[in-house]
Amino acid sequence: MVVTDLCLCEYTDHGHCGVLTGAGRAAVIDNDATLDLLGRIAQTQAAAGADWVAPSGMMDGAVGAIRRALDEGGHAGTAILAYAAKYASAFYGPFRDAAQSTPAFGDRRSHQMDAANAREALREVALDVKEGADMVMVKPALSYLDIVRRVRDRFDVPVAAYNVSGEYALVKAAALKGWIDGDRVMEEILLSIKRAGADVILTYHARGDGAPARLKSARFLALALLAGCAPRLFVKPPGDPAAGVLVRWWGHSCFSLTDSAGRTILIDPFDDSVDYPAPTPRPDALLVTHAHFDHANFPGAAPEPLLKPPTREPDTEDSNGPGRGSPRRPAPPRWPYAVVRTTGTHTAAGVEVVGVSADHDDQGGRRHGFTAVYVWGMGGLRFAHLGDIGQASLRPDQRAALAGVDVLFVPVGGKTTVDAAGAWALIKEIAPRAVVPMHYGTARVRFFEFEPIHVFLRDAPNVRWLDGDTFRVRRDDLTSDTAVYVPAPPGTVKKEAP
């Protein structure tokens, strides 16, 4: 079943849900002109194969106009899911930031509903049902369960409730902090929406194989609706294995990996003891291997806060359009994205990441705290990053997690991690097809009497010196013999375009 979002906001430079007349404080939405466009878009979506169209703009008369357009265009069988009671809510914030869909000025309170008004919701639903809506929606869900209940009791059509991005982000952020059991809280929330009377729940928690099995049971139907785009908080499609992965070395243990779908995983973005600049990519997921990193300079990765609040900009004479003024968020957004900093199995940006604890020994008895080995699949390859591992041999749980690794990022430093001999002992145990050394070529070498990479390479049977700090790795390019890829120092040569 294909359900398409139907609104003008994603096609306009101002980001409002309809055609505007006037400018600044004088700008208003031309409702009638908007209806004609919505009808034409609905015909196009139905012709492309949509089973349902879902008008989300809360334009007066939209359902009737769309129904007439569909019938006249030969699409009488295309159903309408009406955003019948859509409230002007701050809970939409994460989605709007990720999708960059916040209006360029003003807000949407002239046509979305006031949070304090319950009776108006019933009037809006009644109008949409009369105009031909096949299903009606209440949005958001969690703070409007009373509205869901009232609509369910009064109308004999299916009722949907949208568990929106802000509600989702609250659960995910608290779970990442370890404050709640994320899966159990998620189930309680969704069951409360079902208990209030929803026949269909639209939620970002429903993510295919990543969703808990109980979420897929017959107790309720849960759909993931991404409203015309795929924000970074949610899953991108798998990358093409034939295209492989673009790898960039930013210094020390920091790498970014990007697949053909544009998914970027960033590892260890800033170390307070190494003089390399903070990397610039906007990641979909961030892996943090050990606790002595200072990630405060990388947005969203600092322990406090995990997600940054919106910034309020002062209103000016021309800053408000339809409705009243509201906080505006910075663009382009730099969050949200998944942050993995613990052991266990995680789903980050649609990728399963397995974290296994590792010993971090600086040979002087001083521990730097938590360090982890991470293993994940991406672009048809299996990657592993050994963090600041100080072991010269693997434990059984580490050996099991690292089985079948294609590309291994390994430290070669020797003071705070394994030395060259220890690195080669680990490589022989893991038997990857490609090795990328790290912990060399930066200010970290001040801890050593020599550049550690040269000692490491003395035992390397197959060395490939790279022209830059960015390279692409593909499964078909790897051989059965372990090859060592040696990137040039970061920022010194031309880089391959993603």
Side-chain angles (χ1 to χ4, degrees), residues 91 142 165-175 180 307:
F91 280 108
L142 190 57
S165 61
E167 298 166 346
Y168 172 86
L170 291 176
V171 175
K172 288 299 183 181
I180 62 172
L307 299 180

Side-chain angles (χ1 to χ4, degrees), residues 293-342:
F293 274 90
D294 174 11
H295 300 285
N297 286 351
F298 199 82
E304 299 289 342
L306 180 62
L307 299 180
K308 294 186 176 181
T311 58
R312 180 180 291 274
E313 298 180 2
D315 289 341
T316 63
E317 182 68 21
D318 294 326
S319 65
N320 291 319
R324 291 163 284 178
S326 65
R328 294 173 56 197
R329 295 173 180 266
R334 297 204 57 137
W335 60 268
Y337 47 79
V339 180
V340 178
R341 62 173 99 238
T342 60

